[in-house]
């Protein structure tokens, strides 16, 4: 398992981080995003989707649980899951998503990812505390920790992602 930490200064940088992560991924890969509401999970996923060249605007799947964004070209689709309301990986499996043919980004999925796969990228996003109530939360710096779990990611250069943003 390898890990890298970085500061992400604004939403544009979070978007670029998502694009950089997408460049590392291929069909069957799973990326798990953790962080409180407003941390930037969907912004990161939007960059991810734009880099992959998928159809549709990537938006939070909170109310639909999962959205599949088909590829516009030859690449894999993007499945964007909000697992907040799911109680187990079995409920995710019940959605009958083709995880092998797509890249799957799961928000709030840290508790269930190990039941889905033995290889994943985990992206933990921490917002600053003590920010004034009127501050633009999307433009506050974030601390991001990226962990590569499993054999699939053993030789991946996560430090290259940091340099890209």
């Amino acid at each position: 398992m390898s890990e890298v930490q970085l500061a992400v200064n604004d939403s544009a940088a979070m978007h670029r981080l998502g694009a950089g992560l997408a460049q590392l991924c291929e069909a069957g890969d799973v990326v798990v995003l953790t962080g409180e509401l407003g941390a930037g999970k969907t912004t990161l996923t939007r960059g991810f989707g734009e880099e992959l060249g998928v159809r549709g605007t990537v938006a939070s799947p909170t109310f639909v649980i999962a959205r599949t964004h088909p590829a516009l070209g030859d690449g894999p689709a993007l499945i964007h899951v909000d697992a907040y309301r799911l109680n187990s990986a079995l409920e995710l499996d019940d959605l009958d998503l083709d995880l092998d043919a797509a890249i799957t980004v799961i928000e709030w999925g840290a508790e269930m990812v190990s039941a889905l796969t033995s290889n994943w990228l985990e992206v933990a996003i921490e917002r600053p505390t003590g920010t004034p109530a009127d501050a633009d939360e999307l433009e506050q710096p974030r601390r991001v920790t990226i962990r590569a779990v499993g054999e699939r990611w053993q030789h991946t250069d996560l430090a290259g992602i940091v340099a890209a943003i």
Side-chain angles (χ1 to χ4, degrees):
M1 174 179 11
S2 63
E3 180 176 298
V4 65
Q5 291 189 347
L6 63 146
V8 176
N9 292 324
D10 55 27
S11 59
M14 188 67 76
H15 191 274
R16 287 192 304 274
L17 176 60
L21 289 171
Q23 292 174 11
L24 298 176
C25 292
E26 56 192 39
D29 286 342
V30 175
V31 179
V32 177
L33 307 180
T34 60
E36 59 189 71
L37 290 173
K41 297 180 297 294
T42 300
T43 299
L44 184 143
T45 307
R46 194 170 293 121
F48 205 102
E50 286 182 19
E51 180 66 26
L52 291 177
V54 298
R55 188 178 73 212
T57 301
V58 174
S60 177
T62 300
F63 299 106
V64 295
I65 300 178
R67 278 197 174 95
T68 299
H69 297 274
L72 292 173
D74 294 334
L78 171 65
I79 297 174
H80 186 197
V81 178
D82 184 328
Y84 185 77
R85 296 182 315 185
L86 299 178
N87 294 314
S88 71
L90 289 174
E91 289 184 359
L92 181 57
D93 189 50
D94 286 344
L95 297 175
D96 199 28
L97 302 169
D98 190 356
L99 302 181
D100 292 333
I103 298 171
T104 305
V105 176
I106 306 172
E107 298 186 23
W108 307 98
E111 301 297 320
M112 62 183 67
V113 68
S114 63
L116 300 173
T117 182
S118 58
N119 300 284
W120 68 88
L121 287 178
E122 180 178 306
V123 181
I125 306 169
E126 296 178 55
R127 286 187 347 182
T129 57
T131 306
D134 62 347
D136 183 353
E137 290 185 9
L138 291 176
E139 299 309 321
Q140 296 297 313
R142 308 294 202 246
R143 185 171 63 194
V144 177
T145 302
I146 304 170
R147 291 180 47 228
V149 178
E151 188 175 324
R152 155 74 174 98
W153 301 104
Q154 186 175 12
H155 300 290
T156 302
D157 177 22
L158 293 177
I161 295 292
V162 176
I165 67 154

